[in-house]
Each structure stands twice: as structure tokens, then as C-alpha cells.
Amino acid sequence: MKNFMVLSLFCSFFCAALLSEELMKPTSFSKDLYPAEILDGNYFLDIDHPSSFLDFNYGERVASPAQISSAIVAWSKQSNRLKVVEYAKSHEGRPLYALFISAPENINNLDAIKSNITKLSDARNINDKEAESIIQSLPSVAWMAYSIHGNETSGADAALGIIYHLIASKDSDVIDMLSEMIIVIDPMMNPDGRDRFAKSLEQYRGTAPNYDDQSLLHTGDWPYGRTNHYYFDLNRDWLYLTQPETRGRVALINEWRPQILVDGHEMGAQDTFMTGPPREPINKNIDRDLIKWGNQFANDQANEFDLRGWRFYTGEWHEDLYPGYSFYVQFRGTLGILYEQSRMSEDGVRRPEGSIQSYKEAVHHQYISTLANLKTLQKNSYQMYLDYWDGRKLNVSKNGKYGNQTFVILPTDNHGRLNALVAKLEAQDVELFRNTKILSVQSALKQSGELVEDFVIPKGSLIIPNRQPEAPLIAAILEFDADIDESVLLEERQSSLRDGSSIMYDTTAFNFTMMFGLPAVTVPENLSSNLELWAPFPTNVEVNENAVMWAVNAEDDRSVAFAARLMEKNINVRIIDEDAVLSKHSLSRGSVAVLAMDNLSHENLINDIELIARDLNISLVSIESGFGPDELPDWGGRHFRLLQKPQIAILSHSDFSSYDVGVTWWSIDQYLGIRHSQVNSSMAGYADLRRYNTIVMPSGYADLNGSKKEALMTWVAQGGTLIAHNRSSRLIASAEDFGGVKLLQNTFENSVDYKFDLLKEMAASDNYINKDKILNHGVDLDITYPWESSEKALSQENLENRDKWQSIFMPSGSMVAGRVDQKHWLSFGTPPTLPILYANYPILMTNNQSEAVVRIGELVSNDAVKDFRMVNWSSIPPGKDLNVRMSGLVWPEAAQRIANSAYLTRERIGRGQIILFAGEPNFRGSTRGTNRLWLNALIYGAGLGASSKINL
Ligand SMILES: [Zn+2]
């Protein structure tokens, strides 16, 4: 009893002390900044108000994904104006919802409405009269989507209010709207990114409001909430469809073909509000009727802003050349409308004029914009459907812009990659065919830009006639070059020269076949005979238990995963590094073989091999004899090279580009599924690097300083394979003593030596000799030495000045031709000419110690040229031209600057090696051509390029 008294006395004393230690109350609250009510209608009380799902008043702060989801689930039970569709789950397991909101009679009739929209979209099957009657019956369809960038939060909060307003309102204007419209709300397009950002708001929130847009509360921190789980920008993924969020969403949007698609973003905190229509460059495959409608919508929206004294603008930086934004829908006949609200995050942001724009006002802007756009659509739906129908007729007309053009992807044994491309095209409703016979056509345009006459299309090509319902989208993603107006080019050039800025907002090259590194041609006619519908390749997994080895062909990218997954199960794997024929099976160089003799102690070897081949869906052959006829490789010779199991680390964290870290990480999980570690790069100086034999340095910003550099160099010299991208390659190439690869601008002093090495390399790939001359007994006085027959070399000063000038014109995302060393192990599965996505990358120069596996520029024949010709430090041999640009904007000055430089280098250092990519080989998970080079480096590097380790 006595003890109890003491305890309670102690507590009352101590608890009072605690109270006095509470955080101080702030002098003002951000909730008082903006008194206006966003939800100002008359609402039914049986629908819960958004605030009831939040721990603050609606609109005042950022709702978390869990709060938004719980509101949606509750409302789906409370309202008959609503149908909720879960269209995807994010990588982190969060649901993505599309909410169909309309009058109950429409909600009960969604399937019939959708099927009428599908009918209206294929002008091959209905006539004008039938189209008119469908249009008369159709409600208008709006798709309103928000916050695809997770830290651009106000859109999703506005969506929460819009949903409530539409399902709970008693007002006649809303009830009328719902009887005439189907409004689809996709409130939160990137829940994983939003969750990351919402969490950081919790972590950085103090007691007093914070109006400083530089504070961590507003900026968030690495890897930022903009992107999804793997740090992908989902607003660049609408065509590439690499992420589950996008795949689910695009499938649903494409089923519904909405009339408008709103995409609500945020931009810089000190900005105002921007909406469509865009300015030039606008992709030529967008129906100009949509631009006309864009102006109409902007006008009505502007009136609403004017009424409330809210500032806004249209156009300015908003261009529309790149088709991989949400605006891919415009190529399918939907009007895309962009919102860009200045970014508040929480509380509000102080502006130079002294005012504070509150978060709640930002939400209100998105909310009012949404209602304004819905009203404009309600008013103009009929006319917009008529325009849509006109467009659909044009797409399939033989006299239209798309009537006489066919895209052809030439046959390849790289079934894995081709299947991936086919899946992306099918997701966009593209009709695909295969030719059952050889087709001879009058002419064909190659990816190099060359128009070839009397071209023969091999049997089994993938044939895509442009004349079909989705013609504009097909043209936008398969045409080798997007047309850009001369006036736009002029403006871009002036702007580059004046202040080094660009008017291009994204890459200027994006066609699928070059991104995928698949050879293709465009035929200027509509191919329609001897075609069958495209069908997937059959996979043949042939497992004979008595074979001496089992192999998969290198042509297929999945062969790398096959090797990687086998090694993870501790199975010994070999690479056949030259073309081989074994037991009548042809295997191209780089094919992967598992030998029974290498794995005598492995139980269930056959089962493991078969399971892995089936998981990858790759064909496997069984080989009964290790004998290769004639000079072809035999199984005991030097061409059967043992691989080393890669033990991979990715250097990561805020020193690196989150995009490149993310896509590196994703590429391993997506293509290989093997164990690896992301290691905080700040540990690189003291971590135990011996655990890894392969380290990737994604594109980075940091200095490669003292202890980190030393640790990495020592690790390389002892047998490590270091693979670097873009800015990290720049760091390594500019470091004094980190290998022999240098940046172009640091080599002009010795440009003669670099040219000498290049000429040697070019001569080594020459296919011509004169035997009589060689066997002549006298001294030949007519030998040509390439450097002597070249034009006079430029002085160092001249080279430096040229370089300064040319560097102004570096591309911002174009396709250039890569010249690939066909004898190098890094180029397994890669054709001699590879399209490479190129931007303002470091320009790498190899010396005689280092190898250039891929150089910029395709050498093509030109018999008219008799002499060597100079390009800056390098030259082009007689009888040749050098093609650099393949697609997009590459100024001639830039083409000269990068000509003959290295894109991919490899250098032996001690027992290890350094592999540098000038660019980002896995860009957006879509540059499958360069991705293959990277997979080779990652999985084969430890075995083929470093000294093998013997475990005693
Ligand atoms: Zn954005």
C-alpha cells in the first residue's frame, strides 16, 4: 500500500513535468491560410465526407495512399453512381483504381457502351449512318488521372474531392452531367512514389508551418517520390509499358478510348498553373482537330481561373513531339490535357511578392480545372465524336496519309526480344502479320536512311501495314524519324547558340525498332497479300538425359539469363565464343552450354536445366557429341570458356542518378532474377568489396575521391569487373590514373597517336589483300600508309576550338549508329550495326591498351572516294562513308564531334577489368539493343574478361 502511494505520487509529479516539456505551439497554422471551401455543393449525408477518412480537414494536407484507398473502398459500398475497377497492383503491393462514375443506369450498362465505342473505332466495319446512330447513343467519356509523379500530390487530393462531389451531390447540374457522361477518375497513378513522399512529409514535419520551398519538407530526398518502386518515371512509360502500373492502366484506357484524358501534375513551387494546348514541336501524327479542341478546353478553364483571380498560362515549355507521355492517347484520337500546378507539398510556399500560396489552394486549382474540363466535354461531346469518326475513317483509307506504308521487322532468332516488342504493339491494338512467302518490293527504306531498290523481304518477317485503325500511333512509334518543322529547328539552333538551352523537352528519337536494336525497313506501299496473323514462336525444350551437353543459342537475349540462373544454382556453365555446329545444331558465338562432365557432382542437373529453360521460355538443344566438324569449336578446346558466377553489387544512393540506379536494379530483377546487392556508395571506401566480383556504377554525380577510388582500383586489379555508365564513366575517364580511357577533350595533345590506333583497328577489319603484291620478291615502293595519305591533321588549337563549338550542339536523346566489334565477347547477340540512344554523354577515347567494342559511326561503301578524309582527330578510309545519325536531332557539328569515338570500352587492369558505357545502356528499360551489351558485361564479365579464380 505504501509503495503504491509513493508510485502514484511520483507519477503525478513526473507527468506534470512531462507536460511542461511538450513542444511549443506555433504562432500560426497553415490551415488558416486559405478559408475557401473546396467542396461547396449540396451533398447527401449517406456518403462519407473525405475528411472522415483523414486525420486533417480535406485539402489541407497530403492524403496518404492508404487513406485514399480506404475512402474508395468505402464509397464503392455507399454509392450506386460508382463502379471501382482495380486495374493493377504496384510493385509494393498497393492497388491502383479507376473509378467509373455516372448515373446508375449508365453504370449498369457499361459493357454495352464500351462495345459501341469499340465499333465506332474501326471504320472498316461500319458506315457513316451507323456511326451517326452510335454517336447519338453514346455518353461522353472523360478520363481524369492524377499524380503520376508521386511527389506532385495536389492532383490526387483534388481527385478525392471530385469523386465525392460527383457521387454525393444533390445538385441538378451534377445529376445532369452524370446522365450524359461517364467520368473515370484514376486518382493516384503512382501510389508507391506517393507513399514514399507522404512518409517523408511525416518525417520532416515540425510544429510550425514551413513556407520555404527549399526545405526538406518540400523537396523530399533521394530517391524522391516522383518515381515508382524501381525509380521509373511512369510518365515516360506509356508506350514502353515496362511497369505494372502502366500496363494495367494502358490496357483499360485502350478498351475505353475516352474523349479526353487529363493528366494532373505539379511543377516548380514558384510557378503558377499551366495547361494545354502545347506549342511546337507537335508530333505530325497528332490529328490537328485535337489542337483545336485543346484551345476550346483551355479557354473555358481560363475563364474559371480569371473569375477567381488565379494566374495561369498555356504552351510555353509544353511541347508534344515525344509520344511516350500520357499523350500517347492523342495518337489514338483522345484529347490529352496536361495540368501543371506549382508544387506546394504541404502548408504552402512563400513567393517573392510576399504572398503564400497554400496547399489547399493548389488542390482547389486542380479541382476547379477538372470540373471546368468536364463541363466543356459535356457541351462538345457530340462534335468531338464526329471529329473522332472522321479521323478513324482517314486511318483506314487507302488515300489517306497512312494508306500506303508498311513497317517490316526482319526475321531474327532473338525470339525473346521480338516477343517483347510484339507484346507492346499488341497492347496498343496494333494488328500484326507474318509473310508466308518471300515478298519482292520496289523499294524499302533502311534504318540507316538508305532507300534500297528491289528489296526482298524474307519469309517470316513481322509485317505491320500502317493502314489500320491505330495508324497514327503506329506511324509515331515505328517511323524511323519524326518530322520536325524547319522553323522549330531554327529556333532550337538559335537557342542552343544563344544560351545553351533546348526547346526539346524529351528525346527526339523513340522509334521502337531502333530502341530494341531490331533491324527493320519501311516499305512505301500497303502490303496485304501472302500474310497470316502473327503467332508466337513455339519453344522447344529438348532434354536428352544421355547428351554430353545442353545448349541455348546466343541470339536470344534470354540465353544470358539462362547462364546467370544456372550459375546461381552453382552449376558450371561455358560460353562457346565462336559460331559452332554440334550434333547438327547451329549455335552462334556466345551460345551457352552446360557440360555433363563439368557438373558430375550436381544432383538433378537435367531437372534444373529443364526448369530454368522452361521458366525463361527459351529453346534448348541436347548435344550428343562434343565434336565440331572441320575447324569449328570442339568441346575440349579453347572456345569452350568457363564462366564465373557473378557476385554483383550496384553502387547506390544520393551520389547517383536515381533513374539509372533504378533501371539497373530493375534490369537485374526483370531479366535475370538473381541475387545482388545495392550498396551505399559512401561505404565503398571501407566495405569488404571482396564479396563481389562485379560492381556496377550507375550514372553518378560524385567525385571519385581518395579512399573510395583507391579501394575500387585495388579491387579491380585483384580481379574485379567494374562497369560504369555515363557520368560515372566520365569520372573514371577523367581521373588521372584510373585506366587508359580518356575524355576526348583531354586527348588533343596526342591526337596523332589516337588516330594511329584507330587506323590500325580499321585496317584490321579490312577484307581485301593483294596476294601477288605480297609474294613479290622486290621491295614494294607503293605501300600506302594510312596516316600519310590522309589530309593534313588539324592543329591542337584548331581541334580545341572545334570541340568547344561542336559541344554546343550535343544531342539530347537521338539515335546514332554504333559500329560493333563482332569478335568481342561483349557483343554476343549484337548485330554489326547497332542503333544507340545518344545524348550529352562523355566522349570516350581508347588508347592501345584499351578496347573500343562499340564505336560511333557505321562504315558504308562509297567507291567514289579514293582518299582518307579527316573528321576532326579521326578519319574515314578510302571507299567509305561514315553514317552517324539514325534518328532524331543530331546536328552535323555533333555528328563530327562524336564520330569514331567509343561508346563501349573494355580495359584489362591487373587481374580485373574496367568496362565503360558512354551512355545509360538500360535507358527507361527500353533500349534493348544496348541492354544486351550490358547483360553480357554483367554476367559474362567475371568469367571472360577477368582472371579466373581457383577455389583450392
Ligand atoms: Zn509531373
Side-chain angles (χ1 to χ4, degrees):
M1 193 68 186
K2 203 180 163 197
N3 276 348
F4 172 77
M5 282 294 289
V6 172
L7 203 68
S8 60
L9 265 177
F10 173 80
C11 183
S12 61
F13 169 77
F14 188 71
C15 298
L18 256 184
L19 274 178
S20 69
E21 292 298 322
E22 273 189 356
L23 296 168
M24 190 70 82
K25 224 168 75 174
T27 59
S28 65
F29 295 92
S30 59
K31 67 181 170 59
D32 300 326
L33 286 173
Y34 189 73
E37 202 53 59
I38 297 176
L39 297 170
D40 58 356
N42 298 299
Y43 301 115
F44 289 112
L45 294 176
D46 50 356
I47 309 283
D48 287 335
H49 189 275
S51 296
S52 62
F53 301 98
L54 309 170
D55 43 3
F56 49 87
N57 284 325
Y58 169 69
E60 282 170 6
R61 272 174 28 196
V62 173
S64 73
Q67 289 169 329
I68 293 176
S69 291
S70 66
I72 290 169
V73 171
W75 286 335
S76 72
K77 293 173 189 145
Q78 294 170 0
S79 172
N80 61 357
R81 297 179 184 173
L82 177 64
K83 184 186 172 204
V84 177
V85 175
E86 182 184 321
Y87 65 74
K89 272 225 159 49
S90 70
H91 285 294
E92 293 172 16
R94 296 189 176 83
L96 287 106
Y97 293 119
L99 285 72
F100 288 70
I101 303 174
S102 189
E105 58 274 21
N106 291 334
I107 291 291
N108 292 329
N109 199 26
L110 286 177
D111 285 343
I113 293 167
K114 188 169 76 179
S115 117
N116 273 334
I117 294 172
T118 308
K119 270 189 211 149
L120 185 67
S121 301
D122 191 343
R124 295 170 301 190
N125 299 335
I126 56 168
N127 58 30
D128 281 336
K129 210 172 138 219
E130 289 162 310
E132 169 73 24
S133 111
I134 290 175
I135 291 172
Q136 292 285 2
S137 79
L138 279 181
S140 39
V141 180
W143 201 284
M144 318 302 275
Y146 304 88
S147 297
I148 195 166
H149 295 140
N151 57 355
E152 300 172 5
T153 50
S154 59
D157 283 301
L160 203 55
I162 292 284
I163 298 165
Y164 173 73
H165 181 73
L166 294 176
I167 63 172
S169 177
K170 295 178 180 171
D171 298 329
S172 62
D173 58 335
V174 172
I175 289 165
D176 287 350
M177 185 183 262
L178 294 185
S179 69
E180 293 170 23
M181 300 183 78
I182 291 173
I183 300 161
V184 188
I185 312 272
D186 183 345
M188 171 174 59
M189 292 192 275
N190 175 9
D192 290 355
R194 185 180 182 90
D195 197 69
R196 200 154 67 228
F197 186 66
K199 188 83 194 156
S200 86
L201 288 176
E202 277 176 13
Q203 288 166 342
Y204 293 123
R205 185 181 297 139
T207 52
N210 187 318
Y211 307 133
D212 177 6
D213 60 9
Q214 295 185 57
S215 69
L216 270 170
L217 181 81
H218 289 267
T219 61
D221 44 19
W222 199 97
Y224 304 101
R226 174 184 177 89
T227 50
N228 77 345
H229 175 76
Y230 284 105
Y231 317 156
F232 271 62
D233 185 337
L234 294 179
N235 200 30
R236 301 294 184 278
D237 195 46
W238 296 81
L239 289 175
Y240 301 136
L241 301 173
T242 63
Q243 303 300 303
E245 296 92 334
T246 331
R247 277 196 297 271
R249 178 178 312 125
V250 164
L252 195 59
I253 292 173
N254 288 356
E255 271 178 36
W256 274 92
R257 305 170 179 280
Q259 290 172 288
I260 64 170
L261 183 141
V262 159
D263 181 10
H265 288 252
E266 290 181 344
M267 56 182 169
Q270 299 291 345
D271 218 317
T272 59
F273 185 97
M274 191 200 66
T275 187
R279 59 145 172 86
E280 288 288 346
I282 295 171
N283 196 299
K284 300 286 181 215
N285 294 304
I286 294 176
D287 187 338
R288 284 327 198 236
D289 279 341
L290 293 180
I291 308 299
K292 173 191 82 186
W293 286 116
N295 269 300
Q296 183 64 51
F297 278 80
N299 188 48
D300 293 353
Q301 195 177 337
N303 285 340
E304 295 292 333
F305 272 50
D306 284 342
L307 266 178
R308 294 167 173 83
W310 294 342
R311 293 168 66 214
F312 63 90
Y313 58 94
T314 63
E316 299 208 7
W317 54 269
H318 173 20
E319 54 100 311
D320 220 349
L321 181 71
Y322 178 78
Y325 308 121
S326 59
F327 283 4
Y328 88 97
V329 293
Q330 306 218 102
F331 300 92
R332 297 173 54 99
T334 298
L335 171 65
I337 300 173
L338 177 66
Y339 300 167
E340 291 279 357
Q341 163 63 44
S342 51
R343 192 165 159 260
M344 300 301 132
S345 301
E346 184 159 291
D347 296 335
V349 165
R350 179 85 70 184
R351 294 167 168 282
E353 71 268 19
S355 64
I356 298 168
Q357 189 175 81
S358 67
Y359 183 68
K360 189 174 169 194
E361 185 180 338
V363 174
H364 205 185
H365 291 177
Q366 303 250 21
Y367 179 90
I368 290 295
S369 296
T370 302
L371 287 183
N373 286 168
L374 290 175
K375 281 180 199 149
T376 307
L377 177 61
Q378 188 184 3
K379 220 166 41 195
N380 297 290
S381 172
Y382 174 74
Q383 205 56 46
M384 287 180 77
Y385 271 131
L386 290 182
D387 282 353
Y388 176 75
W389 170 243
D390 275 349
R392 302 310 284 188
K393 284 195 290 184
L394 189 74
N395 294 353
V396 294
S397 149
K398 66 174 188 286
N399 306 316
K401 184 174 167 186
Y402 306 108
N404 294 293
Q405 172 161 275
T406 302
F407 302 102
V408 177
I409 296 156
L410 302 171
T412 170
D413 286 332
N414 198 345
H415 292 178
R417 202 184 296 176
L418 194 59
N419 287 345
L421 177 63
V422 162
K424 311 218 181 255
L425 296 171
E426 285 178 338
Q428 297 293 356
D429 304 316
V430 179
E431 296 169 1
L432 307 173
F433 303 89
R434 183 197 319 258
N435 53 327
T436 52
K437 282 186 180 161
I438 284 177
L439 302 176
S440 297
V441 293
Q442 278 182 358
S443 67
L445 181 70
K446 294 173 75 177
Q447 286 169 323
S448 61
E450 189 192 353
L451 190 70
V452 192
E453 284 179 20
D454 300 323
F455 187 80
V456 175
I457 300 171
K459 183 182 157 185
S461 299
L462 171 57
I463 309 280
I464 309 165
N466 201 168
R467 189 197 300 172
Q468 49 172 303
E470 300 311 333
L473 183 73
I474 293 169
I477 62 183
L478 290 175
E479 275 174 359
F480 297 146
D481 249 322
D483 186 19
I484 303 174
D485 283 338
E486 202 171 317
S487 58
V488 172
L489 291 176
L490 179 65
E491 197 188 337
E492 171 72 3
R493 191 171 174 88
Q494 287 172 340
S495 146
S496 302
L497 282 163
R498 200 181 309 113
D499 52 17
S501 68
S502 169
I503 61 168
M504 306 295 186
Y505 194 69
D506 208 277
T507 63
T508 56
F510 29 72
N511 71 81
F512 259 114
T513 58
M514 289 188 201
M515 293 292 282
F516 270 59
L518 290 170
V521 296
T522 305
V523 177
E525 58 184 279
N526 182 54
L527 298 180
S528 59
S529 47
N530 296 313
L531 303 182
E532 61 183 14
L533 282 176
W534 182 264
F537 298 103
T539 303
N540 190 8
V541 178
E542 174 202 313
V543 192
N544 171 358
E545 277 185 44
N546 301 318
V548 297
M549 70 179 103
W550 302 267
V552 299
N553 201 320
E555 294 285 318
D556 197 310
D557 295 338
R558 295 170 299 188
S559 59
V560 187
F562 181 70
R565 293 172 75 83
L566 287 165
M567 285 190 279
E568 182 143 296
K569 301 211 85 170
N570 292 318
I571 294 171
N572 282 312
V573 179
R574 290 181 188 267
I575 281 280
I576 314 171
D577 72 359
E578 277 201 353
D579 289 348
V581 178
L582 295 153
S583 299
K584 298 195 174 136
H585 296 289
S586 295
L587 296 165
S588 58
R589 77 186 178 95
S591 291
V592 176
V594 186
L595 276 57
M597 287 299 294
D598 282 339
N599 295 288
L600 292 175
S601 60
H602 191 94
E603 278 176 37
N604 291 328
L605 179 67
I606 309 280
N607 283 350
D608 280 347
I609 293 173
E610 182 172 354
L611 199 67
I612 288 173
R614 290 202 189 280
D615 276 350
L616 292 166
N617 196 26
I618 189 173
S619 293
L620 174 86
V621 295
S622 294
I623 289 164
E624 287 77 28
S625 167
F627 170 70
D630 303 326
E631 290 167 37
L632 294 170
D634 311 292
W635 72 333
R638 66 190 166 92
H639 296 297
F640 274 72
R641 299 172 64 184
L642 187 67
L643 291 177
Q644 289 275 325
K645 176 173 146 187
Q647 303 193 164
I648 302 166
I650 304 168
L651 294 189
S652 178
H653 236 262
S654 50
D655 287 348
F656 294 93
S657 149
S658 60
Y659 292 123
D660 200 37
V661 168
V663 77
T664 302
W665 171 26
W666 175 85
S667 295
I668 297 177
D669 283 356
Q670 172 77 13
Y671 300 121
L672 306 171
I674 58 170
R675 287 179 280 120
H676 59 283
S677 301
Q678 265 191 75
V679 175
N680 191 326
S681 71
S682 66
M683 284 169 57
Y686 57 86
D688 182 5
L689 298 183
R690 292 175 306 173
R691 292 178 194 177
Y692 319 110
N693 59 17
T694 306
I695 293 180
V696 184
M697 276 179 82
S699 185
Y701 306 96
D703 278 339
L704 203 54
N705 59 28
S707 67
K708 266 190 226 172
K709 182 174 150 192
E710 218 170 287
L712 282 170
M713 277 181 65
T714 309
W715 173 84
V716 169
Q718 289 180 352
T721 293
L722 181 65
I723 303 168
H725 307 163
N726 189 1
R727 287 193 179 90
S728 290
S729 296
R730 187 190 297 271
L731 283 174
I732 291 173
S734 49
E736 269 298 305
D737 44 1
F738 210 150
V741 177
K742 296 285 165 232
L743 296 180
L744 171 70
Q745 56 267 40
N746 299 332
T747 60
F748 295 134
E749 221 178 321
N750 314 99
S751 66
V752 178
D753 299 338
Y754 284 93
K755 186 175 153 192
F756 188 92
D757 291 335
L758 176 72
L759 291 168
K760 200 154 68 86
E761 183 189 303
M762 282 174 166
S765 61
D766 244 351
N767 286 325
Y768 172 80
I769 54 166
N770 183 338
K771 188 177 169 189
D772 288 345
K773 269 190 135 186
I774 293 166
L775 298 181
N776 194 325
H777 294 279
V779 170
D780 184 354
L781 298 175
D782 293 333
I783 300 174
T784 49
Y785 295 96
W787 62 93
E788 288 175 9
S789 50
S790 294
E791 295 162 309
K792 203 169 167 306
L794 293 168
S795 70
Q796 185 179 343
E797 190 193 356
N798 209 338
L799 282 170
E800 278 164 2
N801 281 332
R802 270 199 186 191
D803 193 63
K804 228 184 278 169
W805 182 262
Q806 289 167 345
S807 66
I808 298 168
F809 298 99
M810 286 297 276
S812 59
S814 317
M815 285 286 173
V816 298
R819 177 166 91 239
V820 180
D821 177 353
Q822 289 292 296
K823 293 204 159 73
H824 205 285
W825 57 268
L826 277 167
S827 70
F828 292 152
T830 304
T833 303
L834 180 69
I836 287 174
L837 188 73
Y838 203 91
N840 193 8
Y841 295 147
I843 300 173
L844 303 178
M845 302 283 285
T846 48
N847 62 6
N848 54 6
Q849 320 270 301
S850 44
E851 298 144 16
V853 185
V854 181
R855 285 192 189 274
I856 303 301
E858 177 191 20
L859 284 167
V860 293
S861 298
N862 180 354
D863 294 336
V865 184
K866 301 294 178 209
D867 293 312
F868 278 86
R869 287 172 298 164
M870 296 290 302
V871 196
N872 293 349
W873 63 276
S874 72
S875 63
I876 308 172
K880 302 281 184 195
D881 276 332
L882 192 71
N883 283 347
V884 170
R885 193 189 81 87
M886 290 189 84
S887 175
L889 179 55
V890 183
W891 294 109
E893 290 88 346
Q896 275 199 359
R897 186 176 192 229
I898 64 179
N900 283 322
S901 71
Y903 172 80
L904 170 59
T905 71
R906 185 259 169 192
E907 183 176 12
R908 179 89 185 194
I909 307 265
R911 293 183 188 286
Q913 63 186 333
I914 298 179
I915 295 170
L916 302 181
F917 286 85
E920 295 172 17
N922 306 314
F923 186 73
R924 294 180 181 162
S926 308
T927 45
R928 299 288 286 261
T930 46
N931 164 258
R932 176 59 190 270
L933 300 168
W934 183 81
L935 290 173
N936 290 342
L938 189 77
I939 301 305
Y940 301 153
L944 302 186
S947 301
S948 44
K949 205 173 94 189
I950 295 175
N951 293 320
L952 292 175

